[in-house]
Amino acid sequence: MTAINVASKLALVSEHWSPKIVASFNGHDVMVVKLKGEFVWHSHPDTDDFFYVVKGNLTLRLRDRDVLLGPGDLYIVPKGVEHCPVAAEEVHLLLIEPAGTPNTGDPATAAVKTRI
């Protein structure tokens, strides 16, 4: 294993809402992703959802409030809580989740995750 430079990995990503696996540990995927616009409302019934903002500003809409995140901010959406990520401008994120977790909460509509 060598050191992973998150910024270098993000530079390889051109599309939005398409998580890329950069490492794995203890059955979890560590991913980078670029977001722009609004995602779908969804929840994850069996796992929390980890967001770490590398660059930009992200709004996590929850049913009862909005959570505003900037560079260096981390937020964990508890399992079962509906949320909708929104990025007015491009946002770069680091995500950690159990391997195989669908990003929409539904395997039928989830983005295919590839390793870079």
Side-chain angles (χ1 to χ4, degrees), residues 57-73:
N57 295 291
L58 179 69
T59 301
L60 282 174
R61 291 189 180 146
L62 306 177
R63 291 298 183 184
D64 63 344
R65 64 189 167 106
D66 288 348
V67 177
L68 306 176
L69 303 173
D73 289 339

Side-chain angles (χ1 to χ4, degrees), residues 98-112:
T101 300
N103 66 335
T104 60
D106 179 357
T109 60
V112 175

